[in-house]
């Protein structure tokens, strides 16, 4: 079945630094991928839709200059959290596919 | 406003019983609705999809119903097992954008 690999699974960074998270579709091509954020005991909130070869579309309230998305190939999308602050600490998850979406295993970001 | 709601209170049941989880939505006309399982610190795993013209869908011990008049989906796990303990999320497709909107999830605890 479809597999989406997300890396790293966890990362701790200092405030003010940038962190890159990778999302790969391992056995299928994904022209579209989705990035979510999930705070403890809350649901997944869609941040942006990543489109291969074009700009990502961001949900209302999500800063595109802070959360940089690059979808340079049909199997890879990256999310870079720039100038991270403690309030950016969260669980970030990507997904791809149609109908039944396949999710990555998530990245736990802690900004200290 | 558009809302998708699940019972935020945890559901505790005895092993062997049937667990029933509820998902209600307002101001959406989804073409289909999905159910996912999420374990702590992991990404969601797709379980079932039910389309608007389907009343019921089954997969092994899982059953989903979809009532577009009531704007409600029910998710049943029969002969529940402790291994079924997890958070279950419902999600629906918003328009034709491919964006999934998630409920906040219901945590199920099956006690031996």
């Amino acid at each position: 079945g479809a597999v989406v690999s997300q890396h790293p699974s966890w990362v701790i960074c200092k405030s003010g630094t940038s962190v890159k998270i990778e999302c790969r579709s391992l056995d299928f091509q994904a022209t579209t991928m989705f990035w979510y954020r999930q705070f403890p005991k809350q649901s997944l909130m869609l941040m942006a839709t990543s489109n291969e070869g074009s700009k990502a579309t961001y949900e209302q309230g999500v800063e595109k200059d802070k959360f940089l998305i690059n979808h340079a190939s049909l199997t890879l999308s990256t999310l870079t959290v720039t100038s991270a602050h403690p309030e950016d600490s969260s669980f970030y998850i990507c997904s791809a596919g149609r109908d039944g979406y396949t999710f990555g295993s998530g990245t736990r970001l802690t900004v200290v | 406003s558009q809302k998708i709601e699940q019972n935020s209170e945890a559901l505790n049941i005895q092993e062997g019983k049937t667990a029933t989880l509820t998902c209600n939505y307002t101001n959406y006309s989804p073409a289909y609705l999905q159910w996912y399982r999420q374990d702590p610190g992991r990404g969601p795993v797709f379980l079932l999809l039910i389309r608007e013209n389907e009343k019921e869908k089954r997969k092994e011990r899982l059953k989903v119903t979809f009532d577009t008049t009531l704007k409600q989906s029910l998710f049943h796990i029969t002969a529940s097992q402790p291994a079924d303990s997890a958070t279950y999320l419902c999600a629906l497709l918003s328009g034709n954008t491919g964006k999934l909107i998630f409920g906040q999830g219901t945590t199920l605890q099956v006690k031996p």
Side-chain angles (χ1 to χ4, degrees):
Chain A
V3 178
V4 172
S5 174
Q6 191 171 340
H7 179 81
S9 56
W10 61 270
V11 58
I12 301 173
C13 71
K14 289 185 177 180
S15 189
T17 62
S18 295
V19 172
K20 180 185 284 188
I21 303 170
E22 293 188 347
C23 181
R24 294 181 185 271
S25 55
L26 296 188
D27 50 1
F28 66 102
Q29 294 183 334
T31 55
T32 302
M33 291 185 176
F34 301 92
W35 287 96
Y36 294 83
R37 179 167 52 183
Q38 185 177 35
F39 291 105
K41 305 236 182 259
Q42 294 187 26
S43 189
L44 283 78
M45 296 300 295
L46 181 65
M47 297 176 66
T49 303
S50 173
N51 304 297
E52 186 268 336
S54 64
K55 291 182 180 179
T57 54
Y58 291 81
E59 295 301 299
Q60 192 172 12
V62 178
E63 300 175 56
K64 62 180 180 181
D65 294 330
K66 180 167 186 61
F67 299 99
L68 300 179
I69 291 173
N70 184 280
H71 195 153
S73 78
L74 286 171
T75 59
L76 173 65
S77 174
T78 60
L79 168 68
T80 301
V81 183
T82 63
S83 185
H85 288 99
E87 57 265 30
D88 298 323
S89 299
S90 188
F91 192 53
Y92 293 86
I93 316 173
C94 66
S95 75
R98 293 187 60 82
D99 292 346
Y101 287 85
T102 302
F103 284 79
S105 54
T107 298
R108 172 72 60 195
L109 170 63
T110 302
V111 184
V112 298
Chain B
S1 62
Q2 294 177 316
K3 286 193 296 186
I4 177 168
E5 293 182 314
Q6 295 180 254
N7 191 343
S8 58
E9 290 184 17
L11 178 63
N12 296 297
I13 64 168
Q14 206 65 36
E15 182 177 9
K17 300 293 185 182
T18 296
T20 299
L21 286 68
T22 305
C23 177
N24 296 293
Y25 60 92
T26 55
N27 294 323
Y28 282 111
S29 296
Y32 56 73
L33 189 143
Q34 304 177 12
W35 284 88
Y36 291 81
R37 169 183 173 141
Q38 186 176 26
D39 290 285
R42 307 290 294 176
V45 174
F46 171 74
L47 296 175
L48 280 168
L49 177 153
I50 185 164
R51 301 184 187 281
E52 60 179 339
N53 60 349
E54 297 175 314
K55 297 294 184 185
E56 183 179 295
K57 201 82 168 278
R58 291 175 186 262
K59 178 182 176 183
E60 298 173 351
R61 294 184 295 111
L62 308 180
K63 184 179 85 171
V64 171
T65 62
F66 193 12
D67 189 324
T68 55
T69 301
L70 291 178
K71 297 188 182 295
Q72 181 182 78
S73 176
L74 298 178
F75 177 79
H76 306 272
I77 305 176
T78 58
S80 59
Q81 305 166 359
D84 295 327
S85 299
T87 296
Y88 292 87
L89 305 166
C90 68
L92 52 80
L93 198 69
S94 177
N96 58 358
T97 61
K99 298 179 185 180
L100 275 183
I101 307 300
F102 283 86
Q104 70 269 41
T106 298
T107 298
L108 171 67
Q109 187 72 35
V110 181
K111 299 183 179 179

